[in-house]
Amino acid sequence: MLDYLINSNHLKKEFQRFGLEDKDLDFIKEMIVGPAESELCSQGPGDWPYCGRPVEKSFLYEIVANKKNGIDVDKWDYFARDCHHLGIRSNFDHLRFMAFARVIQIKERREICCRDKEVSNLYDMFYVRMTLHRRAYQHKTSNAIEHMIKDALYLADEFIKIPGTKGEKKSISGSIHDVEAFSKLNDSILSLIAMSDNPDLKPAQEMIKRIEKRQLYKYIGQTAPIDENKVKYSKSQGSQIVEDILAAGGNECKLLEPKDLLVDIVTFDYGSGKHNPIDKMKFYSKSDPDKPVSLKREHVSHMLPSLFSEQHVRLYCKKLDKKCFNVAWKCFQNWCQSKDYGVEDLNDDDDDGYPGSTPYTTPFGTPSSRQKNNSSEVPSPQSA
């Protein structure tokens, strides 16, 4: 994509005017996506994978998108932006981290290390990341809308054509293989679908209308399975889990079909899967600032988490009527009980518009509207 933007905007001469060479472009790409997988470069030892800069500048690759431990300015940027706009407090102080960061030689490479007393500040950073994913990026309502947009694009895929290289028309999904067509994909695709007079796009248009009217896929509940063998569900198992949930409900679940339910598998972690990202960070002490050391979790505090990854299995119902919602809840409850999983209590106040509780024409319900519609609200799980 970067190559296409440079060539299509004739920026090569501008790069040369400022003394930037091809290796500098390689450096920019490597800072974003990491090293090329096809070959090793000759600017350092045999295992040095980068071409843009030699091994003596290895620490530069830890600044923008740190593939080693995830401590980078990319996170600091969206932390500050999103916490500000979402009203979420961030306890991480990036200015303090930079004040105590220094480059130390570790074997044949140089790495960014931090003062040992700042380890709690870094734990706060990863906790902020997890909090933003839990409360915003992978919030149950955000994911419901995301799945509905995905379904709308799927329904419109073969009927929307995007001009690509040499004028060749590409479908929405086919655009990922054509950089010119892909560069034209943005939020306007939904407006293009909504305003089209093509009758084949009616199902996709109906899905977009549901999003606009807040007629979202109904969040049924979620469970956080804890498996002693550390076996995790994969996203490809969603369809099978739907089948198992319907089977767990018995005859009552015949009201629902697999296409009526959606399983969303969500993982929350500190950025390194099940591993502690701080284990990949080196620290130095005031007394010996040139000696890199590791700090184990138990040496920092016994109150820090022992698990750094958690998986949630969420269930949504695509139908809007209360009867289907109640049946789906019972099926899900039975499935969780059969697996010995705990299930979340749905009797909360931040619902996504259960039938009759939140007006579909407004993004948020009000206490008065809830009281007026109290008789038609979906019953709580205890009474379901």
Side-chain angles (χ1 to χ4, degrees), residues 260-288:
D260 299 327
L261 299 180
L262 169 69
V263 164
D264 187 26
I265 298 173
V266 181
T267 300
F268 301 104
D269 56 43
Y270 273 33
S272 297
K274 64 181 181 180
H275 303 290
N276 181 359
I278 302 299
D279 290 341
K280 302 175 184 178
M281 181 72 182
K282 297 294 184 181
F283 298 85
Y284 67 89
S285 64
K286 183 178 180 179
S287 59
D288 195 352

Side-chain angles (χ1 to χ4, degrees), residues 137-138 141-151 211 264:
Y137 308 145
Q138 298 192 74
T141 308
S142 300
N143 282 19
I145 296 173
E146 180 179 311
H147 282 289
M148 294 181 76
I149 291 175
K150 181 185 69 175
D151 289 345
I211 298 172
D264 187 26

Side-chain angles (χ1 to χ4, degrees), residues 54 60 93 132 146 149 157-158 160 216 228 251 260 331 381:
L60 294 177
D93 188 345
L132 285 170
E146 180 179 311
I149 291 175
D157 184 39
E158 61 179 301
I160 295 290
L216 308 180
E228 293 180 356
N251 293 330
D260 299 327
C331 293

Side-chain angles (χ1 to χ4, degrees), residues 204-241:
Q205 291 170 340
E206 291 298 323
M207 184 65 68
I208 293 173
K209 287 180 181 178
R210 282 188 59 175
I211 298 172
E212 292 174 344
K213 294 181 178 180
R214 193 94 175 156
Q215 297 176 354
L216 308 180
Y217 291 164
K218 299 303 165 189
Y219 172 74
I220 304 300
Q222 72 176 9
T223 182
I226 301 176
D227 194 315
E228 293 180 356
N229 298 319
K230 305 299 181 183
V231 176
K232 298 289 186 180
Y233 291 110
S234 65
K235 289 187 178 293
S236 61
Q237 293 178 277
S239 299
Q240 183 58 51
I241 296 175

Side-chain angles (χ1 to χ4, degrees), residues 74-85:
D74 173 58
K75 287 184 179 62
W76 304 349
D77 175 63
Y78 73 73
F79 283 0
R81 178 195 67 208
D82 296 342
C83 285
H84 172 74
H85 289 288

